[in-house]
């Protein structure tokens, strides 16, 4: 009985330590979530302005370089930019976005190149022999705009040289604190009809004149759009990662507390049984002396 009580006390101490760690990690993730969400909201506003300007340029369809438009050239090579985390303890965050890319790869018949942000996705697809042309091992929330540019510029050069014919980004979209969904989104080439129609419906289309030309403006904005798209997706993915980690740590913390309660009940019962045995022994010894 005494050995069993000692085992229960050791388990209570161990689970108590785990509960304190998960609670601390939950608080840290909540703090990082607020910061990442604020940065994401600001970048999304700026991204909206870039998108609006490009929609205006795309309205001049006859001026848009055909190589940037869907169907403008044959798609021989595809490149995916995959954003995962570099750390664990975030529930199914990495699993769902990796599964989304795997499902997409089953549909693609062309050769595939991969750019990874975060080590989880890089490690996973390296083991499967995928052609990884560029990596960024730091977490997504540490990416600055300059680092996003250093990722986007080589991709833009490869696209213009014809080494890749399609660029898509695979990341996790933020719905709310409790819900995040994986997204596979094509960045280049553009579907001008879809983009133009969407912006007509939203009422942001304007008749504008460009100097020196709409094509020159469009060629200038394409790299900026790619940079902002990668940067914005990295910020959104980081927001989702912190939200997923906060939820995972909150669930782990709740489970630890439930386990502590159950262990305390077991300990109290064992202690009560031991006290009862001692009382019985005392009474038996007293009866034996009479």
């Amino acid at each position: 009985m005494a050995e069993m009580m000692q085992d229960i006390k050791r388990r209570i101490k161990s689970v108590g330590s785990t509960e304190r760690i998960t609670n601390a990690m939950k608080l840290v993730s909540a703090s990082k979530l607020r910061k990442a969400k604020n940065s994401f909201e600001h970048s999304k506003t700026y991204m909206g302005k870039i998108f609006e300007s490009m929609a205006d340029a795309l309205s001049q369809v006859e001026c848009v370089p055909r190589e940037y438009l869907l169907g403008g050239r044959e798609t021989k090579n595809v490149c995916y930019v995959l954003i995962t985390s570099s750390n664990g303890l975030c529930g199914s965050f990495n699993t769902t976005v990796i599964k989304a890319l795997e499902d997409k790869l089953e549909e693609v018949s062309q050769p595939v190149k991969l750019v990874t942000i975060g080590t989880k996705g890089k490690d996973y697809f390296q083991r499967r022999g995928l052609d990884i042309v560029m990596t960024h091992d730091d977490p997504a929330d540490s990416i600055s705009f300059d680092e996003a540019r250093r990722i986007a510029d080589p991709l833009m050069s490869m696209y213009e040289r014809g080494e890749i014919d399609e660029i898509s980004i695979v990341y996790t979209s933020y719905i709310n604190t409790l819900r995040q969904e994986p997204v596979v989104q094509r960045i280049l080439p553009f579907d001008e009809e879809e983009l133009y129609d969407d912006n007509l419906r939203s009422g942001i289309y304007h008749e504008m004149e460009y100097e020196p030309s709409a094509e020159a403006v469009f060629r200038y904005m394409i790299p900026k759009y790619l940079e902002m798209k990668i940067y914005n997706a990295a910020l959104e993915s980081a927001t989702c990662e912190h939200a997923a980690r906060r939820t995972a740590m909150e669930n782990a913390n709740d489970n630890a507390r439930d386990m502590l309660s159950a262990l305390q009940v077991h300990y109290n019962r064992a202690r009560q049984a031991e006290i009862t045995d001692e009382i019985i022994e005392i009474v038996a010894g007293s009866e034996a002396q009479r």
Side-chain angles (χ1 to χ4, degrees):
M1 184 66 70
E3 289 183 3
M4 184 179 71
M5 290 178 63
Q6 287 298 321
D7 289 341
I8 294 174
K9 286 181 72 174
R10 280 194 291 269
R11 288 193 63 192
I12 288 175
K13 185 178 180 180
S14 175
V15 174
S17 299
T18 302
E19 188 266 341
R20 287 190 292 273
I21 292 171
T22 55
N23 185 59
M25 293 184 68
K26 180 186 74 171
L27 296 176
V28 170
S29 296
S31 176
K32 288 184 176 180
L33 173 61
R34 287 191 295 270
K35 182 179 178 181
K37 189 177 178 182
N38 187 51
S39 298
F40 166 60
E41 293 294 339
H42 281 83
S43 73
K44 189 166 66 172
T45 301
Y46 182 66
M47 190 69 191
K49 295 296 182 182
I50 295 288
F51 194 80
E52 179 180 342
S53 299
M54 292 197 67
D56 288 335
L58 276 171
S59 66
Q60 314 282 339
V61 177
E62 67 281 359
C63 302
V64 177
R66 298 304 303 173
E67 66 265 25
Y68 297 118
L69 297 179
L70 191 63
R73 68 188 193 190
E74 184 181 357
T75 303
K76 297 179 181 178
N77 295 279
V78 180
C79 181
Y80 291 98
V81 180
L82 174 65
I83 303 178
T84 58
S85 75
S86 295
N87 302 305
L89 300 177
C90 49
S92 61
F93 172 79
N94 292 308
T95 305
T96 53
V97 71
I98 288 173
K99 180 66 164 58
L101 178 54
E102 281 190 318
D103 292 343
K104 190 67 178 178
L105 292 177
E106 292 178 358
E107 304 171 4
V108 175
S109 57
Q110 299 91 344
V112 172
K113 299 182 186 297
L114 185 64
V115 175
T116 61
I117 299 175
T119 59
K120 297 297 184 180
K122 181 192 75 173
D123 294 342
Y124 182 87
F125 285 105
Q126 266 185 343
R127 292 193 295 269
R128 281 152 182 80
L130 211 65
D131 183 11
I132 301 177
V133 297
M134 201 185 322
T135 62
H136 182 91
D137 291 346
D138 293 335
D141 61 354
S142 68
I143 290 184
S144 64
F145 185 72
D146 286 339
E147 288 172 318
R149 180 180 298 164
R150 285 195 289 270
I151 295 171
D153 286 350
L155 282 177
M156 196 73 242
S157 298
M158 292 171 69
Y159 185 86
E160 291 173 344
R161 292 195 302 265
E163 295 177 13
I164 53 177
D165 304 297
E166 182 178 308
I167 301 174
S168 296
I169 190 164
V170 187
Y171 67 104
T172 308
S173 176
Y174 181 81
I175 309 300
N176 54 50
T177 305
L178 299 176
R179 184 184 172 198
Q180 302 89 39
E181 295 180 352
V183 173
V184 181
Q185 184 180 39
R186 186 181 65 249
I187 305 177
L188 287 174
F190 295 101
D191 184 343
E192 79 276 10
E193 292 184 3
E194 178 182 329
L195 184 60
Y196 183 45
D197 291 345
D198 286 347
N199 286 281
L200 274 178
R201 285 193 293 269
S202 65
I204 67 171
Y205 168 69
H206 310 288
E207 284 287 351
M208 300 183 71
E209 294 184 2
Y210 295 94
E211 292 291 343
S213 67
E215 179 180 348
V217 172
F218 189 80
R219 285 187 181 277
Y220 172 79
M221 293 187 67
I222 282 285
K224 306 298 179 187
Y225 176 78
L226 182 59
E227 292 165 9
M228 277 303 302
K229 197 67 180 177
I230 292 175
Y231 180 62
N232 188 73
L235 290 178
E236 185 170 5
S237 183
T239 303
C240 294
E241 178 187 346
H242 294 313
R245 183 169 289 110
R246 178 190 175 279
T247 301
M249 291 300 99
E250 185 173 17
N251 291 337
N253 197 51
D254 292 342
N255 290 337
R257 287 177 178 173
D258 291 342
M259 189 176 293
L260 280 174
S261 297
L263 287 172
Q264 192 63 52
V265 170
H266 287 310
Y267 179 80
N268 291 340
R269 287 177 178 171
R271 184 168 176 270
Q272 185 178 26
E274 185 180 42
I275 293 171
T276 302
D277 290 342
E278 289 177 355
I279 292 175
I280 292 174
E281 289 176 3
I282 292 169
V283 171
S286 175
E287 289 292 335
Q289 292 178 354
R290 289 184 179 179

